[in-house]
Amino acid sequence: MENFCNSCNLYVESDRSHCPLCGKCVNEDNLNKARKFNYFPDYKWHKKRKNVATLIVLVSLVLFDLIFCLGEFLFFNQFNIGPYVLVGTAYIYVACILPSLQMWSFSAISFSQVVLTTLLFVFIEFYSNTFGWAINFVIPSFILASSIAIYIVNLSRGYYARSNFYSSLCCVIISSVLFALSLTIFKGVVRIWPTLVSFVVSVVLFITLFVFKRKKIIKGLKKDFNW
Amino acid sequence: MKGNIVKIEEKIHKEKVKSEHLASSTRKKNQVRAIQQNYSDNDNDAKWWRLDNAALLFPAVTSKKVTNVFRLAANLKEPVDKDALQRASDKLFERLPALNVGLRNGLFWSYFEELPYMPQVKEERSYPMQQFKKNRKKHLLRIMYYKNKIILEIFHSIADGVGASKILTYLLIAYFMELGIKPISTDFDLNDFQKEEEIEDSFSKYADLKTFEKRDSEKAYQIKGSPLPYDKLYEYLAFTSISQIKEVAKKYNAGMTEFLIANLMLAIYSEKQVYGDKKPVKINLPIDLRRRFESQTLRNFVSIKYLKMNAIDFEELLIDLKKQIAEISTESCLKSINTNVKIQKVFYVKIVPLVIKNILMRLSYSWFAENSFSCPFSNIGYINLPVEIKDKVKSLEFTNGRNKTNAISVGCIGCNDTLTIGISSKIKEQSIITNFLKRLTSFGIKIELSTNKRV
Ligand SMILES: [Zn+2]
C-alpha cells in the first residue's frame, strides 16, 4: 500500500485513485485504470450477468413478437391475434421478468402489478369491446385494488414511503369524483355500485393508514411543504 | 414372494448405481441437491443439540434489520485453493458435527439438527454478512473465499466471536494440512471425535443461581445517519501494528482495549455534540468468559458489560475506563449469567409455546437491549496460530453484522503483529469513522485502510 492520503493521514489500497474516507485524489495514475478489487468481491460480475440476462430475454421476446406477427400477416393475411400477443409479451416483460431480474421491492412489484393488470384489461376492453364494462368496472376496481395494495404494503410490512400517502390520496380523490359523476352527469352510464364500493373502501383505508402512520405522514408532509 | 424380493433387489441395485453415479460426478452440487430433496421431516435418526442460553435469543430477534451474523476472515499470502478448502471444511465438519446443523423449531424451544450434507465452499459475491434465512435445511454458517482471503460468516446462535475464531483456526489448520504442511503443532486433532466440552452450554454449567444483577437499561445516544438498503453494508478494515498501539497506550498507562474504546467514545462524542443530544455515550463490551471459568466451549460464552463515557478529557477518560474495566470480576460475570439462566429455568417460561416466547423475547429485547448502548466493541483478542502456519497468514479480520439501532459497530482481532480494526457501518455518513481513525493516526499510529465502499 503506497497510496497515502494527507488529509486523513492513512494509507489506502494501492489500486484506489481516491481516498474512501475524504474523497481526495491519492493516485492520479489509477484514475483511468479499471479497478480490480482486492478486498471485496467485484460485483461488476453480478451486474454484467444481470444486464446480459435482461438483454437476452428482451431480444428473444421481440423476436418472438416479430415472427408471430409476420407469420400471421403472411400466412393468414390478417392481424387479429397479433396485438394481443404484443401487449401480452410487453405485460410479461414489465410485470414479471423485469422485477425478478432487477429485484424490485415488494411495494414496487405489487403497485406495478395493479397498474399493469388494469391497463391490460382496459386495452382488451377498448380493443375488442368484449365485455362492455370499461368505465363501469375497470376504473373502480383499479382504485379498489391499488388502495388495498397500498394498505397491505404499509401495515403488514411496517413500511411507509411518502409516495404511498399521495397515491392513496389520489385514489380517494378519483373515486369520489367518479362517484359524484355516476350520481349526476353520467347517471345510468356509469354504474353506481362499483364506484360506491371503491369510494368507501379507499376512504376507509386512507383513514386507517393515517391513523397508524400518523407520525410518519406528518413528518413527510412537513418535509414536502417545508413547514 | 419371490417376485417381491427380486423387485427389492432391483431397487437396491438401482439406488446403488444412482449413488455411485452421484458420488463419481464432479458436480457435488447435484449430490447435495438430491439429498436435500430426499431429506424429509420424518428423519428421526438425525442428531440434535440444544441451543445454549444466549443462543436462544437470536433466532427470535433475527430479521433483515438485525442479522446477528458476524464475520471472520484470514488473509493468506497466496491465493486460496478452492478444492483444498472444500476438503478441509468437509473434514472439519465431520470432526465437529454440532456445527453442521440447521435450526429447527420445537414446540417450546428451538434446537439444532444435524444436516446430512456439508456446507459448500463458495466464492464471495455479495455484500458481507447477509441474513441467514430461517430454513431448517440450510447451514447457519458460510465458508467463502475471495482471492487471498478465507471467509467464515457465522450465525450468532452457533458460536460467539471467540468460539468462531477457534473454528477459523481449526479450518486454517485443516486447510494447510490439505496443502501438505505436516505436522502442525496443535492440540486440535482432526481425526478425533467431537468432545462434549467443545459444544457444552457453559452458561448452564457454571450458573449457581445464587446472586443476581440488576440490568442497566439507561438509554444511550444513538448514532444518526442516512441508512443503506438492507442488503448492503460497508466494511472498513484498518490494519495497524499491535506493537505500535501497545507502545502508544503504554505512554498513557493504559491497555489496548481502553485506548481504542476511549478514542471511539470521543469520536462518537464529537458527533453527538453536533446534534445536541443529552443521552450518554455507552459502549457495549462483550467479555469472554472462557478463561475466567476454564471452559473449552465453541458455543456462546460471553457476558455483556456496558461502559459509560464519564469524562471528556482523553486522559481522564482512560483512567475512568480502566476503573470500569477493572470492576469486571468473575463474580459480577457470574451474576449476569445467573440472571439469564434463571429466566430459562423458570417453570412458567418453560411451558410457554415457542411462538409466544419469540414474541416476548422480541419485546423484551427491544425494551432492554436495543437502545442501551451507542456502539458495540468486540475484542476477540490475539489469536495464536500454530508456528507452522503463522507465516502463511498475513492478517485476520473480524466484523460485526447489521444491527437495528446501532449504525456502526467495531471489532478487533490480532494475529502476528497486525491488529485489524473492523468497522461495519449501515449508514452512508462516515464522519465518526474518519474521526476515530484520525484520532488514532494523530498518535503516530500507521493505518492501512481498506474498504468495500466504492469512491
Ligand atoms: Zn482521505
Side-chain angles (χ1 to χ4, degrees):
Chain A
M1 291 206 189
E2 284 153 9
N3 290 343
F4 187 75
C5 173
N6 288 320
S7 67
C8 298
N9 218 356
L10 41 78
Y11 294 86
V12 300
E13 289 148 287
S14 52
D15 49 358
R16 273 191 192 270
S17 56
H18 291 86
C19 166
L21 288 182
C22 64
K24 258 193 182 171
C25 184
V26 285
N27 193 337
E28 283 178 3
D29 298 341
N30 283 339
L31 272 176
N32 300 318
K33 274 188 213 165
R35 274 203 62 193
K36 276 181 191 164
F37 279 76
N38 262 330
Y39 265 95
F40 189 73
D42 204 339
Y43 43 95
K44 250 187 198 164
W45 173 88
H46 216 69
K47 254 189 181 169
K48 244 189 219 164
R49 265 191 131 187
K50 247 188 213 168
N51 289 344
V52 169
T54 323
L55 199 72
I56 288 172
V57 168
L58 187 63
V59 168
S60 55
L61 279 180
V62 167
L63 272 178
F64 172 74
D65 280 353
L66 269 177
I67 291 167
F68 193 92
C69 291
L70 272 177
E72 200 197 356
F73 194 69
L74 290 178
F75 292 110
F76 300 97
N77 212 2
Q78 60 173 15
F79 197 58
N80 288 340
I81 314 169
Y84 289 109
V85 173
L86 280 178
V87 172
T89 43
Y91 171 76
I92 288 169
Y93 182 71
V94 182
C96 309
I97 294 167
L98 261 192
S100 63
L101 280 175
Q102 313 268 320
M103 300 229 250
W104 287 10
S105 68
F106 179 74
S107 60
I109 290 173
S110 52
F111 196 71
S112 72
Q113 286 290 344
V114 168
V115 171
L116 288 168
T117 322
T118 319
L119 284 178
L120 191 70
F121 277 117
V122 169
F123 164 77
I124 294 172
E125 176 56 29
F126 278 105
Y127 188 71
S128 62
N129 204 12
T130 17
F131 314 113
W133 40 246
I135 271 201
N136 291 334
F137 288 99
V138 167
I139 295 173
S141 60
F142 166 64
I143 289 160
L144 204 68
S146 50
S147 37
I148 289 172
I150 294 163
Y151 174 80
I152 289 173
V153 166
N154 274 287
L155 298 179
S156 69
R157 313 251 314 178
Y159 169 91
Y160 170 79
R162 265 180 281 169
S163 59
N164 288 151
F165 172 72
Y166 293 119
S167 43
S168 64
L169 190 65
C170 280
C171 283
V172 170
I173 292 168
I174 295 171
S175 64
S176 55
V177 167
L178 207 67
F179 182 54
L181 285 178
S182 73
L183 285 178
T184 53
I185 308 168
F186 293 109
K187 219 174 186 177
V189 182
V190 179
R191 301 280 169 82
I192 292 177
W193 285 112
T195 50
L196 179 65
V197 169
S198 71
F199 171 68
V200 171
V201 170
S202 61
V203 168
V204 168
L205 292 186
F206 179 74
I207 291 168
T208 359
L209 184 69
F210 196 82
V211 169
F212 283 105
K213 302 276 164 177
R214 192 177 56 246
K215 274 184 194 168
K216 283 180 177 173
I217 288 173
I218 291 171
K219 206 176 164 189
L221 282 173
K222 271 184 187 167
K223 265 187 206 165
D224 284 342
F225 292 97
N226 277 329
W227 284 344
Chain B
M1 191 68 187
K2 225 179 185 180
N4 266 347
I5 292 172
V6 172
K7 262 184 195 170
I8 291 169
E9 270 176 359
E10 263 180 12
K11 213 176 176 185
I12 291 171
H13 179 70
K14 261 186 192 172
E15 292 274 276
K16 225 180 177 181
V17 171
K18 208 175 160 188
S19 66
E20 272 171 11
H21 169 72
L22 277 174
S24 66
S25 81
T26 43
R27 285 189 170 181
K28 212 166 181 184
K29 245 187 191 173
N30 286 346
Q31 197 180 341
V32 168
R33 222 171 267 162
I35 306 169
Q36 256 176 354
Q37 277 164 4
N38 292 333
Y39 176 50
S40 66
D41 263 328
N42 350 320
D43 205 348
N44 287 326
D45 301 334
K47 280 185 205 159
W48 67 282
W49 289 273
R50 279 188 193 89
L51 271 71
D52 62 67
N53 177 271
L56 287 168
L57 175 74
F58 299 120
V61 298
T62 296
S63 66
K64 63 178 177 182
K65 290 176 191 168
V66 197
T67 52
N68 285 319
V69 181
F70 58 89
R71 164 188 175 106
L72 281 146
N75 287 309
L76 309 183
K77 287 190 177 154
E78 272 154 33
V80 176
D81 179 349
K82 187 198 166 187
D83 298 325
L85 185 59
Q86 179 68 64
R87 288 198 299 275
S89 109
D90 286 354
K91 277 188 184 163
L92 178 68
F93 292 114
E94 222 162 278
R95 163 76 172 78
L96 293 167
L99 304 178
N100 184 28
V101 289
L103 186 72
R104 295 200 63 167
N105 290 336
L107 189 58
F108 299 109
W109 296 107
S110 322
Y111 61 94
F112 293 131
E113 194 178 79
E114 191 182 10
L115 293 175
Y117 35 86
M118 301 289 179
Q120 294 296 298
V121 170
K122 281 178 189 157
E123 189 173 11
E124 188 178 31
R125 274 185 177 147
S126 64
Y127 274 88
M129 289 167 280
Q130 299 287 327
Q131 184 194 348
F132 285 99
K133 293 272 161 64
K134 277 174 194 162
N135 186 340
R136 64 185 176 81
K137 289 183 181 180
K138 285 195 176 158
H139 290 97
L140 297 168
L141 44 80
R142 295 184 196 109
I143 293 180
M144 298 184 285
Y145 67 98
Y146 189 73
K147 291 183 184 173
N148 289 8
K149 185 147 74 171
I150 292 177
I151 301 152
L152 172 72
E153 286 187 354
I154 201 162
F155 186 60
H156 215 320
S157 278
I158 293 271
D160 60 8
V162 178
S165 74
K166 280 186 180 178
I167 297 169
L168 182 71
T169 315
Y170 297 161
L171 182 66
L172 285 175
I173 290 170
Y175 173 71
F176 283 113
M177 277 170 102
E178 280 301 318
L179 288 186
I181 297 166
K182 287 169 195 168
I184 292 178
S185 50
T186 166
D187 300 336
F188 180 71
D189 185 3
L190 259 179
N191 300 318
D192 208 348
F193 290 106
Q194 178 171 274
K195 289 169 196 153
E196 195 50 46
E197 64 258 30
E198 284 172 336
I199 51 157
E200 69 180 9
D201 177 5
S202 297
F203 287 109
S204 309
K205 188 179 173 187
Y206 293 103
D208 59 3
L209 302 179
K210 278 174 192 158
T211 47
F212 303 100
E213 73 164 357
K214 225 186 135 198
R215 288 241 167 97
D216 172 15
S217 57
E218 186 195 2
K219 297 275 175 265
Y221 169 70
Q222 297 301 323
I223 297 164
K224 293 169 182 69
S226 37
L228 293 169
Y230 290 122
D231 56 345
K232 283 189 181 179
L233 195 69
Y234 287 154
E235 187 187 33
Y236 301 84
L237 296 164
F239 297 95
T240 59
S241 146
I242 293 178
S243 50
Q244 220 174 22
I245 291 197
K246 259 191 183 158
E247 208 176 283
V248 176
K250 215 175 183 185
K251 270 185 208 162
Y252 292 94
N253 206 3
M256 249 172 20
T257 316
E258 292 109 83
F259 179 75
L260 290 173
I261 291 178
N263 282 309
L264 181 63
M265 276 180 166
L266 285 169
I268 298 172
Y269 181 77
S270 62
E271 174 96 359
K272 190 186 96 159
Q273 288 307 92
V274 178
Y275 287 101
D277 203 312
K278 275 182 186 152
K279 289 180 202 133
V281 174
K282 278 160 82 184
I283 299 282
N284 172 343
L285 180 73
I287 298 143
D288 179 31
L289 300 175
R290 283 176 186 77
R291 260 181 235 157
R292 289 174 194 268
F293 292 93
E294 283 168 12
S295 162
Q296 294 291 319
T297 188
L298 296 174
R299 297 262 192 243
N300 288 285
F301 198 35
V302 284
S303 168
I304 300 294
K305 170 86 180 167
Y306 295 143
L307 300 177
K308 198 173 162 187
M309 184 178 179
N310 292 326
I312 304 165
D313 181 59
F314 181 63
E315 283 176 38
E316 274 176 42
L317 183 59
L318 271 181
I319 293 167
D320 183 65
L321 281 176
K322 228 172 140 185
K323 213 177 92 192
Q324 285 189 54
I325 291 175
E327 272 172 19
I328 303 165
S329 62
T330 312
E331 284 76 45
S332 70
C333 293
L334 192 62
K335 270 185 189 174
S336 85
I337 295 176
N338 284 337
T339 324
N340 289 326
V341 173
K342 189 192 158 198
I343 302 168
Q344 192 192 340
K345 297 248 159 110
V346 175
F347 177 71
Y348 297 107
V349 174
K350 275 184 183 172
I351 57 164
V352 172
L354 183 67
V355 187
I356 299 168
K357 246 181 227 150
N358 279 350
I359 296 169
L360 293 177
M361 275 195 263
R362 230 172 284 157
L363 284 176
S364 61
Y365 181 75
S366 62
W367 281 335
F368 294 115
E370 262 175 0
N371 288 315
S372 44
F373 55 93
S374 319
C375 175
F377 181 92
S378 359
N379 188 356
I380 303 296
Y382 188 77
I383 306 299
N384 246 329
L385 292 173
V387 194
E388 290 84 0
I389 64 173
K390 215 168 189 177
D391 54 338
K392 304 211 177 299
V393 180
K394 230 192 279 172
S395 58
L396 297 181
E397 295 168 9
F398 172 81
T399 26
N400 263 316
R402 176 180 271 273
N403 197 317
K404 191 173 176 184
T405 43
N406 310 116
I408 288 172
S409 56
V410 184
C412 61
I413 190 168
C415 167
N416 299 339
D417 188 42
T418 317
L419 179 82
T420 315
I421 304 169
I423 307 168
S424 64
S425 161
K426 64 162 190 176
I427 52 172
K428 286 171 192 159
E429 288 79 0
Q430 35 194 17
S431 52
I432 289 180
I433 298 162
T434 317
N435 218 325
F436 174 51
L437 296 181
K438 261 187 186 170
R439 287 197 65 87
L440 291 182
T441 49
S442 70
F443 293 104
I445 297 165
K446 187 184 157 195
I447 290 182
E448 289 174 1
L449 182 75
S450 130
T451 164
N452 66 354
K453 186 177 179 275
R454 298 182 151 206
V455 186

